[in-house]
Amino acid sequence: MPGLHEKSTVIINQGMCFDKMRVPLILQSSEEMTIEKARFNMIEQQIRPWNVLDKDVLDMLIVVKRENYFPEDQKTLAFFDTELPLPDGSKAMNPKVEARIVQELGLKKPESVLLIGAASGYLAALLAHMTRHVTVLETSPVLKALAEKNLQANGVRNVAVLQADGLSGQHNGNYDVIVVAGALEMIPESLLKQLNVGGRLLAVVGQLPMMHAQLVTRTASGFNERSVFDTVLPPLAGVEPASTFKF
């Protein structure tokens, strides 16, 4: 029989083993086992069927604990296919959209990221797990404080959350990746100008009832655009594009 310091593999649901969750089985509470079963079901029943198949992304969803970015009364709901309410009245993305965004961007460890919209800080944590640094711009002081608190509590050190209007053109930088965490009618030129050559921008563009996630890649000669999936997001709060870019 293994001792307390020997590690046993935790088996969750239908014999599946999570490689990165080798912990002393004797120390796991029934509540922890319930959480891990809910995480497994989220990945297998929501995220994989939505064509999120990249192993690195799926492994990351096990390591970066989504429930830690929501209050106690929402922790079990964090694994549901729903947009959870945030303290400022807006809503967080559902898990499958977050995972699909990360997969489509093809992130690399040396890259720098600009995220427009903090929400609870969870998407920033996912991006930070796979890249060098993430800068988050958020207009709501409530969400800025919430995201900073959650990121600090979870030991995420390579994220800076700034209170700023991400689409006004007031913030300027150079980034390998830009993500807009809310729907836009059009992509502002001020964001595209901040992309490095080879960089990618992902934003959900359009109006109800149909929106598309657009992936824009900057090349030495211009920009290439393609639609990568259909979804619907609430409009990005508190910001309006000052100008637009036409392909």
Side-chain angles (χ1 to χ4, degrees), residues 6 48 52 67 112 145 160 166 196 221 223 237 247:
E6 296 180 27
R48 277 188 189 272
V52 180
E67 71 276 15
S112 61
N196 294 329
S221 58
F223 296 89
F247 295 92

Side-chain angles (χ1 to χ4, degrees), residues 50-79:
W50 226 52
N51 291 324
V52 180
L53 304 174
D54 185 282
K55 184 179 184 298
D56 290 339
V57 174
L58 295 174
D59 286 347
M60 175 183 61
L61 297 175
I62 299 168
V63 174
V64 183
K65 309 294 187 183
R66 193 172 198 269
E67 71 276 15
N68 291 351
Y69 290 81
F70 295 92
E72 198 65 36
D73 61 349
Q74 291 183 342
K75 284 192 182 299
T76 55
L77 300 177
F79 305 105

Side-chain angles (χ1 to χ4, degrees), residues 90-220:
S90 62
K91 293 182 178 181
M93 293 182 191
N94 66 37
K96 68 186 182 185
V97 174
E98 294 165 329
R100 187 70 181 271
I101 285 172
V102 173
Q103 175 177 268
E104 296 296 341
L105 287 167
L107 300 168
K108 303 176 184 66
K109 202 63 182 176
E111 292 184 318
S112 61
V113 181
L114 175 65
L115 173 61
I116 310 297
S120 69
Y122 179 67
L123 181 55
L126 294 179
L127 297 168
H129 186 80
M130 302 189 79
T131 61
R132 176 179 58 82
H133 189 268
V134 178
T135 300
V136 183
L137 303 183
E138 174 56 58
T139 58
S140 166
V142 173
L143 293 186
K144 176 184 182 294
L146 176 64
E148 285 181 320
K149 177 184 175 183
N150 286 337
L151 291 162
Q152 183 176 11
N154 285 278
V156 182
R157 301 288 179 251
N158 58 331
V159 177
V161 185
L162 309 177
Q163 189 170 342
D165 183 335
L167 303 187
S168 67
Q170 296 174 349
H171 175 88
N172 289 295
N174 296 298
Y175 300 97
D176 302 301
V177 175
I178 299 176
V179 183
V180 182
L184 302 174
E185 290 191 8
M186 290 175 283
I187 298 173
E189 187 176 1
S190 61
L191 282 185
L192 292 166
K193 287 180 176 178
Q194 296 183 65
L195 270 182
N196 294 329
V197 173
R200 291 89 63 210
L201 180 150
L202 193 146
V204 173
V205 180
Q207 297 178 329
L208 291 172
M210 182 61 69
M211 299 179 183
H212 310 278
Q214 301 291 338
L215 184 65
V216 181
T217 302
R218 185 167 195 172
T219 68

